[in-house]
């Protein structure tokens, strides 16, 4: 009998096969046999990338590549504004950050470039 891989979610060694799926009895996570050979990065979800395709991570410094109007005010985030210490979040606006002179904002990754 071949040894089954540990659960990618909770690392439990007690996985079992159920048809074409592997199942973890401890956390009830199910995944396909093909996915078990893939890297664990794929299980974390899609990677966030900037406007030119560079992968983004928490704490990165990015540069705004387009003038962005701030909704509800007359402020504009100008092209070339550097934003330090970004935080990636889920949703349409996938970057939380503090912009100098403006304050806390959410940005779309398609309007920034990794510095």
């Amino acid at each position: 009998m071949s040894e089954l891989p540990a659960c990618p979610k909770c690392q439990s060694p007690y996985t079992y096969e159920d048809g074409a799926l592997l199942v973890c009895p401890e956390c009830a996570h199910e995944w396909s046999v093909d996915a078990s050979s893939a890297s664990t990065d794929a299980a974390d979800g899609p990677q966030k990338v900037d406007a030119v395709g560079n992968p983004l991570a928490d704490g990165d410094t990015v540069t705004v590549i387009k003038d962005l109007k701030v909704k509800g005010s007359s402020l504009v985030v100008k092209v070339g504004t550097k934003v330090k210490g970004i935080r990636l979040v889920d949703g349409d606006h996938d970057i939380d950050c503090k912009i100098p002179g403006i304050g806390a904002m959410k940005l779309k990754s398609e309007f920034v470039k990794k510095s």
Side-chain angles (χ1 to χ4, degrees):
M1 184 169 129
S2 66
E3 190 167 319
L4 297 173
C7 174
K9 192 172 182 183
C10 71
Q11 303 304 319
S12 170
Y14 304 113
T15 57
Y16 64 90
E17 287 183 291
D18 184 22
L21 296 176
L22 294 174
V23 181
C24 175
E26 293 183 5
C27 69
H29 179 66
E30 297 180 352
W31 68 100
S32 68
V33 177
D34 296 333
S36 67
S37 62
S39 68
T40 56
D41 293 335
D44 294 338
Q47 179 75 24
K48 306 256 191 285
V49 294
D50 67 1
V52 292
N54 297 322
L56 295 172
D58 286 344
D60 282 347
T61 298
V62 295
T63 304
V64 177
I65 62 167
K66 177 183 175 184
D67 281 346
L68 302 172
K69 295 179 182 177
V70 178
K71 192 172 186 177
S73 75
S74 62
L75 298 173
V76 176
V77 179
K78 295 289 189 179
V79 172
T81 302
K82 287 201 180 261
V83 181
K84 298 178 184 178
I86 65 169
R87 193 180 67 169
L88 299 176
V89 295
D90 291 330
D92 186 32
H93 292 73
D94 48 7
I95 297 174
D96 267 347
C97 61
K98 287 186 181 177
I99 298 180
I102 295 177
M105 284 194 66
K106 290 189 175 203
L107 298 173
K108 291 184 178 183
S109 58
E110 63 194 65
F111 297 122
V112 299
K113 180 177 76 170
K114 191 172 181 177
S115 298

